[in-house]
Amino acid sequence: MVDKQTAYILWFDQLGIEDVPLVGGKNASLGEMYRELTPKGIRVPNGFAITAYAYRVFIERTGIRQKIVEILTGLDTRNVKDLAERGRKIRQLFYDAQMPEDLREAIAQAYRDLSNAYHMEEADVAVRSSATAEDLPDASFAGQQETYLNIVGLPALLEAVRKAFASLFTNRAISYRQDKGFDHFKVALSVGVQKMVRSDKGSSGVMFTLDTETGFRNVILINAAYGLGENVVQGAVNPDQYYVFKPTLREGYRPIIQKKLGEKEYTMVYAHDGNKPTKNIPTPEEKRKQYALTDEDILTLARWGMLIEEHYSRKAGHEKPMDIEWAKDGLTGELFIVQARPETVMSRRDPNEYVEYILKEKGRELVRGMAVGSKIGIGRVHVIRDVHHMSEFQPGEVLVTDITDPDWEPIMKMASAIITNRGGRTSHAAIVSRELGIPAIVGTGNATEVLKNGMDVTVDCSSGEQGIVYEGRLEYEEKHVRLDQLPETKTEVKLIIGTPEKAFHYSFLPVKGVGLAREEFIINSYIKVHPLALIHYADLPGDLQREIDEITRPYADKTQFYIDKLAEGIGMIAAAFYPRPVIVRTSDFKSNEYAGLLGGTLFEPHEENPMIGWRGASRYYHPRFKDAFLLEVEAFKKVRNEFGLTNVHVMIPFTRTPEEGRRVVDLMESHGLRRGDKGLRFYVMAEIPSNVLLADEYAKTFDGFSIGSNDLTQLTFGLDRDSELVSHVADERHPAARRMMELMIKAAKKAGREIGICGQAPSDFPEIAAFLVEQGIDSISVNPDRVIKTIQLVAEKERELAERNE
């Protein structure tokens, strides 16, 4: 029996979570997974850990420990130059020291045994360091210690082990421990030695079992790129991004609710020139245009991610989201998990503390990229292209650089915001900025060229997936609300939403679902091409085909691109609020708006007044547009049948007559989208006087109504709200507009149909919300920034009505 406390080497199959003090969290989790999760189908490469006891023996016998004490005496981590010099001296002690003979022989024997197990003379291994205080629930930092890939031969392995030991005293690790109050010698280092997965010929990346931007728990987030995984971890490439919805994945569905193609500019491969074990080569253009993972790979990884999360949650006795690294062997096609640790930033977020940052003005846009977090930061630009110039950085400045790695930590914590040219949501800059609570924009491509030293800028991450850097110091507002202190209401308050990227953030709002999800933003931002241009792609001019090819890569089938991207946009919103109902309005572009899509002018008529022209239901069954509408039907079917998001319901806009409504419903049902199937409900917008006057007829076809107060008001007054000459007449507070809403509510109630409102009126005018409650409306849908006030207003009005009726 091995005495673990005094062992130099412990094999993964000997390790469990209880061994964290001996081998650190990463190595313990590798052992735990190898021992307990490989029987469940998860693949983990075999290997061994050089223990924290071995590390302590090394620093004691070589005399390094006392020298470290002397070097660190009087350290001030804010003095970046002094920190760097002390760190360099300590690391040199490790590089120069001789490995104690008994430790050297123990490592050599373990390496021989591992090589023999894989029938190799000298196995290629990954050397991963794991500190015994790393990734604690209240103290985590990305990549404090080092990883070395494609290490071959005993001399190279021993050198990598010494470097790994030394990495306990990198500048950022010294600074981090000092700032957190950890004793440098109560933290030890273990080294994991693991058989390499040949992802240099395949792909690799990172997986989180929650959304890293919001803390939303019901998704798996996967980032993927070609080659070895360090490019994704370090943010050296912009990877593919995939989201998978956990609840319906458990039920056997295939809910890949988002797939975003990354640039994947470089591929990290084995180097054979003898200088370095790995190198980056440009990724061929054709590969960059393809996803790095198949759908089956994505779903397999997501299932493994759930198994890993469930395993460690049981061990911990509470939910424990995980941060996981994976690799795909390009020789065998097999997937492997190579590392797992607790996620320690968003998992600690209080879901009842709702914070919103609102930019009050807009300036000139300078650059944009991927937003990390939802905050807004203001400061003076400082472009630093090289880590050796870090000492020039001043507290409160905006750090602008090509890419960060852990060496940048001492100045990252001083920044008001961070902007990088390269990297994705799981890059070093993104992970550290979340840890520090600093807004960051990554993957801008050209920030170091566009932004100049000394410029005052506002870094806005509050508007969704895209972060924008504006010129100047712009005014913004920060709102804090305790959601668990809001009152309950009988009248349901729901959300109006159009941007899928904000859905996870808004999911924490105490709404009863989504009363209006708009397709228009998804089509404008995700798809950008007129649906008929995709259907008739083969007949288009060559230059237009090339533009469409650029947008639709990697799709050969252009109509499938439309279906998939529309389904993904709807799916992101539906997943955020699952199982709460999400009512999605089918596309309600006017002809001039459709013409603005790529290729749209070839298929759209010119109308003098498109506001009351060819829009809504009249389009859907028309021979000139029916095929385009059927792509929407296919997207709804994918969301409900493939993703399993049966909380999605369909709403038809601008339905001029009951006969039009029936034609559209018949068309949808004839193509497999059937009312009542798995609870599917069809709604109709009540936005034309005919909807109000013939509500009893519409009720025969539809399950409910939603008042569109914007159009209902303009059509009640017979005006075009886009005309500045008469738009002032349209006012939802006018008795005529209120009477129309009152009649609609009464008619729906009489017909036994659900009735809500999704127009702008309750968001803009609190008195309209109060009026609707008084009329007995079932639900009120408002914009996200009005949810809190509307809930409070509705509760107050309901109390008032209850007191009046006593």
Side-chain angles (χ1 to χ4, degrees):
M1 181 69 106
V2 175
D3 181 356
K4 290 186 177 182
Q5 298 297 324
T6 58
Y8 287 156
I9 303 294
L10 291 173
W11 287 85
F12 287 165
D13 60 7
Q14 298 172 317
L15 296 173
I17 290 302
E18 67 277 4
D19 296 314
V20 169
L22 303 176
V23 295
K26 294 176 191 171
N27 288 334
S29 66
L30 279 170
E32 181 95 14
M33 288 188 296
Y34 188 84
R35 193 176 66 193
E36 298 199 23
L37 294 182
T38 50
K40 296 183 179 181
I42 294 177
R43 296 189 195 92
V44 181
N46 201 1
F48 58 88
I50 302 167
T51 64
Y53 173 73
Y55 163 79
R56 290 192 175 100
V57 167
F58 180 84
I59 63 170
E60 290 289 350
R61 287 203 202 162
T62 56
I64 288 175
R65 189 183 195 282
Q66 184 55 40
K67 292 174 184 176
I68 292 173
V69 173
E70 295 167 4
I71 292 171
L72 290 180
T73 301
L75 171 66
D76 178 1
T77 59
R78 292 169 297 182
N79 186 332
V80 177
K81 271 189 175 177
D82 184 48
L83 170 64
E85 179 58 22
R86 292 174 192 247
R88 185 195 64 77
K89 287 180 179 177
I90 292 172
R91 292 189 296 276
Q92 195 63 46
L93 295 175
F94 284 89
Y95 302 154
D96 294 341
Q98 290 295 311
M99 189 77 69
E101 186 57 35
D102 58 339
L103 176 56
R104 181 187 185 283
E105 180 50 37
I107 295 170
Q109 184 59 52
Y111 180 58
R112 285 193 291 271
D113 291 344
L114 182 64
S115 298
N116 291 337
Y118 283 91
H119 308 290
M120 300 175 74
E121 186 175 338
E122 293 181 319
D124 50 335
V125 295
V127 176
R128 302 179 185 277
S129 55
S130 179
T132 56
E134 192 180 24
D135 302 312
L136 293 176
D138 60 345
S140 172
F141 222 72
Q144 282 179 23
Q145 282 75 53
E146 303 290 356
T147 295
Y148 304 94
L149 303 178
N150 189 27
I151 302 301
V152 179
L154 182 60
L157 175 57
L158 293 173
E159 181 184 357
V161 171
R162 277 197 301 272
K163 286 181 178 178
F165 284 166
S167 74
L168 194 57
F169 290 92
T170 55
N171 302 341
R172 75 275 185 177
I174 295 169
S175 170
Y176 180 71
R177 286 195 299 274
Q178 196 91 347
D179 293 343
K180 287 281 186 181
F182 290 145
D183 183 328
H184 291 288
F185 298 105
K186 287 190 177 174
V187 180
L189 195 95
S190 165
V191 178
V193 179
Q194 183 182 48
K195 175 66 178 71
M196 285 288 295
V197 176
R198 293 305 302 267
S199 58
D200 59 308
K201 296 182 177 295
S203 57
S204 56
V206 179
M207 168 168 59
F208 286 85
T209 62
L210 48 51
D211 176 46
T212 54
E213 299 310 307
T214 64
F216 180 67
R217 299 287 183 99
N218 276 348
V219 287
I220 300 283
L221 167 63
I222 300 170
N223 277 180
Y226 297 116
L228 302 173
E230 286 302 288
N231 276 344
V232 177
V233 174
Q234 295 172 1
V237 297
N238 295 321
D240 294 343
Q241 176 175 287
Y242 317 111
Y243 278 107
V244 182
F245 187 55
K246 289 194 276 190
T248 57
L249 181 64
R250 288 190 187 97
E251 296 172 6
Y253 290 97
R254 299 170 59 85
I256 305 173
I257 58 173
Q258 188 186 78
K259 291 172 67 176
K260 283 200 169 180
L261 195 67
E263 289 296 318
K264 306 184 292 292
E265 303 96 320
Y266 299 102
T267 301
M268 184 177 283
V269 299
Y270 285 11
H272 301 288
D273 55 15
N275 295 321
K276 290 185 176 181
T278 63
K279 64 179 179 180
N280 265 321
I281 59 173
T283 306
E285 187 67 24
E286 279 309 305
K287 286 189 73 176
R288 291 174 62 179
K289 293 178 181 179
Q290 303 295 321
Y291 291 115
L293 288 175
T294 66
D295 284 1
E296 285 304 324
D297 290 337
I298 295 167
L299 293 169
T300 296
L301 284 174
R303 293 185 191 104
W304 287 3
M306 288 197 302
L307 280 172
I308 292 167
E309 180 182 56
E310 289 162 4
H311 175 82
Y312 289 110
S313 296
R314 281 194 302 273
K315 289 273 184 178
H318 59 82
E319 193 173 358
K320 188 178 271 300
M322 298 296 289
D323 169 356
I324 301 163
E325 292 181 27
W326 59 270
K328 182 176 181 179
D329 193 308
L331 299 178
T332 66
E334 293 177 317
L335 291 165
F336 290 86
I337 299 297
V338 297
Q339 187 166 294
R341 59 191 173 204
E343 195 282 338
T344 56
V345 180
M346 278 299 167
S347 55
R348 302 205 306 267
R349 178 188 181 277
D350 181 356
N352 286 308
E353 177 70 22
Y354 186 78
V355 184
E356 184 142 30
Y357 294 81
I358 303 163
L359 197 62
K360 307 291 282 186
E361 56 182 334
K362 293 287 177 74
R364 183 169 72 92
E365 181 180 324
L366 299 174
V367 71
R368 64 169 57 204
M370 194 175 294
V372 178
S374 60
K375 292 185 176 181
I376 296 172
I378 293 175
R380 184 167 295 168
V381 167
H382 196 147
V383 179
I384 296 186
R385 298 177 186 275
D386 188 279
V387 71
H388 297 103
H389 295 284
M390 287 197 309
S391 60
E392 301 167 8
F393 192 81
Q394 298 300 310
E397 291 181 326
V398 175
L399 174 61
V400 181
T401 189
D402 180 54
I403 188 174
T404 69
D405 61 33
D407 288 326
W408 292 78
E409 182 272 329
I411 65 169
M412 293 174 80
K413 64 187 179 186
M414 298 190 291
S416 60
I418 298 167
I419 305 167
T420 67
N421 290 341
R422 295 188 283 159
R425 292 199 185 285
T426 53
S427 64
H428 176 266
I431 293 171
V432 171
S433 65
R434 289 188 203 101
E435 165 83 14
L436 296 171
I438 295 171
I441 300 177
V442 299
T444 62
N446 60 351
T448 54
E449 304 305 319
V450 175
L451 303 178
K452 307 300 180 186
N453 282 333
M455 294 175 71
D456 283 333
V457 297
T458 298
V459 180
D460 177 23
C461 296
S462 69
S463 301
E465 187 174 57
Q466 288 285 300
I468 302 175
V469 181
Y470 293 104
E471 186 175 37
R473 293 174 175 261
L474 305 181
E475 183 184 353
Y476 71 92
E477 182 181 359
E478 183 177 338
K479 290 183 177 179
H480 292 257
V481 179
R482 287 295 306 178
L483 299 179
D484 53 355
Q485 295 175 3
L486 290 172
E488 287 290 329
T489 62
K490 179 184 175 184
T491 308
E492 293 185 337
V493 176
K494 296 181 178 180
L495 201 63
I496 297 173
I497 187 170
T499 55
E501 291 84 3
K502 294 288 284 184
F504 294 164
H505 176 67
Y506 293 143
S507 72
F508 295 97
L509 287 169
V511 293
K512 300 301 182 184
V514 174
L516 171 61
R518 299 186 177 104
E519 284 188 8
E520 291 79 34
F521 181 89
I522 301 169
I523 295 169
N524 259 329
S525 301
Y526 280 32
I527 298 171
K528 303 177 184 177
V529 185
H530 195 288
L532 290 174
L534 295 171
I535 291 170
H536 299 289
Y537 170 83
D539 302 324
L540 299 177
D543 57 343
L544 186 53
Q545 285 184 340
R546 284 187 288 275
E547 283 189 76
I548 291 174
D549 287 343
E550 189 62 28
I551 292 169
T552 59
R553 65 180 188 178
Y555 283 83
D557 183 340
K558 305 305 178 184
T559 57
Q560 193 61 46
F561 167 79
Y562 190 94
I563 294 165
D564 286 355
K565 294 306 156 188
L566 183 55
E568 288 171 19
I570 295 169
M572 290 284 284
I573 296 172
F577 296 93
Y578 185 88
R580 291 170 285 177
V582 172
I583 300 172
V584 181
R585 186 181 68 190
T586 49
S587 60
D588 193 24
F589 284 127
K590 290 78 177 172
S591 55
N592 60 321
E593 294 167 337
Y594 259 124
L597 295 171
L598 186 62
T601 55
L602 297 175
F603 302 97
E604 292 298 324
H606 172 73
E607 295 184 289
E608 293 299 328
N609 190 347
M611 185 68 74
I612 54 173
W614 195 35
R615 61 176 288 201
S618 301
R619 270 185 175 265
Y620 303 155
Y621 60 82
H622 194 285
R624 286 174 57 180
F625 194 80
K626 183 176 75 170
D627 289 344
F629 176 67
L630 290 176
L631 297 184
E632 294 183 48
V633 172
E634 291 303 312
F636 278 112
K637 286 164 59 179
K638 179 167 185 167
V639 169
R640 289 178 56 86
N641 300 334
E642 184 174 322
F643 297 170
L645 292 165
T646 53
N647 60 324
V648 166
H649 307 284
V650 180
M651 182 155 65
I652 305 300
F654 225 76
T655 307
R656 292 176 168 96
T657 67
E659 291 75 23
E660 273 203 324
R662 282 194 287 274
R663 289 187 71 172
V664 173
V665 168
D666 288 346
L667 180 62
M668 291 191 293
E669 293 197 326
S670 69
H671 285 80
L673 195 63
R674 297 182 181 87
R675 180 183 176 194
D677 185 17
K678 297 180 183 176
L680 176 61
R681 297 195 296 275
F682 289 153
Y683 292 82
V684 64
M685 291 285 292
E687 54 190 342
I688 306 171
S690 62
N691 302 144
V692 179
L693 297 172
L694 295 175
D696 56 334
E697 290 297 316
Y698 284 97
K700 295 174 183 176
T701 304
F702 295 98
D703 298 286
F705 298 87
S706 187
I707 297 170
S709 57
N710 301 354
D711 277 345
L712 185 60
T713 300
Q714 75 159 342
L715 294 173
T716 297
F717 291 105
L719 54 83
D720 180 354
R721 68 171 186 258
D722 287 345
S723 169
E724 68 277 4
L725 298 174
V726 294
S727 60
H728 66 280
V729 177
D731 188 335
E732 289 92 335
R733 295 167 294 182
H734 191 280
R738 289 162 70 111
R739 178 66 61 84
M740 290 297 282
M741 288 188 273
E742 180 184 353
L743 290 172
M744 185 65 246
I745 293 169
K746 287 180 177 177
K749 292 287 185 182
K750 184 177 179 181
R753 291 290 183 253
E754 186 181 332
I755 177 68
I757 185 168
C758 63
Q760 196 67 27
S763 290
D764 291 346
F765 308 118
E767 60 267 42
I768 291 294
F771 163 75
L772 293 167
V773 172
E774 196 164 356
Q775 295 302 312
I777 200 164
D778 295 320
S779 65
I780 296 175
S781 299
V782 293
N783 295 324
D785 62 339
R786 298 296 302 177
V787 164
I788 306 300
K789 287 184 177 176
T790 301
I791 289 173
Q792 293 167 335
L793 177 72
V794 167
E796 183 181 336
K797 188 65 180 178
E798 288 180 347
R799 278 195 304 271
E800 179 189 312
L801 289 172
E803 290 169 3
R804 191 189 304 170
N805 293 330
E806 284 179 356

